[in-house]
Every structure is written in structure tokens, then in C-alpha cells.
């Protein structure tokens, strides 16, 4: 199976499991693979502090989000996440292949932002869960 298929199947399984449980699920961070992002041979890429802090802020926003049945709240969350996303780009000092890999990591988030602004609650929830996993996967590629 290719990486995209494994990632898609993993997300679908995660979605189905989360639908059947009211408990806060624990994300298996080590199993998260991001399509298009690779390691520096077997090592993590060195990210600048501002990038890592920006990702951590986005994770905190996601973790503190509690209005999961409110479509308008997802749109508000989207605005907050996009503002931090923009800060990451503005403060990025990375160069070379590490910079390229960071862009490979960040680019898929744009589509997830759009899903958070949907008028369909199910779409919002799916985008939220995918974004949560995507953010959790950051430390699998960057330090």
C-alpha cells in the first residue's frame, strides 16, 4: 500500500472509532505520516523556534476547542488557526530542504481550513479531526 492509501485508511478508521465513543481519544502520534513530507535521511529536520511555537499554539487552540456542535464556532477557530499559520510563514527563517519540507507539511492545511468554514457540521468535524492529526504529526518530521 502506498503512503496516501495508508494515511487515508488510518484517518477513516480514526473517524469511525471517534464516532462511537464520547471519550477523548489519544492520538498515536508515531503512526502519523504526512504525504509529501520526508525525513532528512533518518533524522528530523531542524525547524526554527517560531515555527515550532506556532504549531504548538495551533495545537493548543485545537485542544481547547469545546464547541464541537456549533458550526459558527468552527469558522471562528478557522480564523484563529489561519492567523497563527500566517505568523509561521512570516517568521520562517528556514532555508534549503528543511524549508521545502516545511512547506510540504504546511500546504495540506489550507484545504483543512476551508473544511472548518463549511456550513455542514459533519464536514467541520472531519476537517477538525484531520487537522488535529496533521498538527500532531509535526514532531515526526521536525524538531
Amino acid at each position: 500500500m502506498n503512503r496516501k492509501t495508508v494515511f487515508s485508511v488510518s484517518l477513516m478508521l480514526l473517524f469511525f472509532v471517534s464516532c462511537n465513543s464520547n471519550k477523548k481519544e489519544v492520538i498515536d502520534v508515531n503512526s502519523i505520516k504526512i504525504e509529501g513530507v520526508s525525513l532528512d535521511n533518518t533524522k528530523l529536520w531542524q525547524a526554527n523556534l517560531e515555527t515550532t511555537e506556532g504549531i504548538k499554539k495551533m495545537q493548543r487552540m485545537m485542544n481547547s476547542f469545546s464547541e464541537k456542535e456549533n458550526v459558527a464556532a468552527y469558522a471562528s477557530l478557522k480564523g484563529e488557526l489561519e492567523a497563527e499559520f500566517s505568523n509561521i510563514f512570516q517568521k520562517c527563517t528556514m532555508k534549503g530542504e528543511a524549508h521545502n519540507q516545511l512547506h510540504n507539511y504546511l500546504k495540506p492545511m489550507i484545504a483543512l481550513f476551508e473544511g472548518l468554514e463549511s456550513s455542514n457540521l459533519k464536514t467541520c468535524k472531519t476537517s477538525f479531526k484531520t487537522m488535529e492529526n496533521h498538527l500532531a504529526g509535526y514532531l515526526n518530521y521536525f524538531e
Side-chain angles (χ1 to χ4, degrees), residues 97-140:
E97 190 55 28
H99 182 258
N100 295 339
Q101 292 301 317
L102 177 65
H103 278 263
N104 291 345
Y105 171 80
L106 294 172
K107 188 176 178 181
M109 295 171 76
I110 296 167
L112 299 175
F113 291 137
E114 292 173 15
L116 290 173
E117 196 171 42
S118 172
S119 60
N120 181 298
L121 184 59
K122 184 176 179 180
T123 300
C124 291
K125 287 181 176 185
T126 300
S127 292
F128 180 92
K129 184 53 64 185
T130 305
M131 177 70 81
E132 189 174 48
N133 284 315
H134 192 85
L135 289 167
Y138 176 79
L139 292 177
N140 290 343

Side-chain angles (χ1 to χ4, degrees), residues 47-112:
N48 65 317
L49 179 63
E50 293 84 1
T51 296
T52 300
E53 287 301 313
I55 295 295
K56 286 180 183 178
K57 285 180 185 175
M58 292 175 78
Q59 289 172 326
R60 285 192 296 271
M61 289 176 204
M62 297 289 289
N63 289 335
S64 66
F65 184 73
S66 61
E67 296 185 65
K68 295 187 175 160
E69 301 301 318
N70 180 348
V71 173
Y74 284 99
S76 178
L77 174 65
K78 174 206 179 235
E80 294 170 24
L81 291 169
E82 281 184 324
E84 192 56 46
F85 186 80
S86 181
N87 281 336
I88 290 171
F89 274 96
Q90 290 173 3
K91 296 177 181 178
C92 184
T93 59
M94 295 168 63
K95 304 282 184 219
E97 190 55 28
H99 182 258
N100 295 339
Q101 292 301 317
L102 177 65
H103 278 263
N104 291 345
Y105 171 80
L106 294 172
K107 188 176 178 181
M109 295 171 76
I110 296 167
L112 299 175

Side-chain angles (χ1 to χ4, degrees), residues 15 17 21 27 32 37 46 61 80-81 90 111 121 141 143:
F15 178 74
V17 169
S21 174
I27 297 172
I32 297 173
V37 183
Q46 185 66 48
M61 289 176 204
E80 294 170 24
L81 291 169
Q90 290 173 3
L121 184 59
Y141 299 95
E143 61 181 349

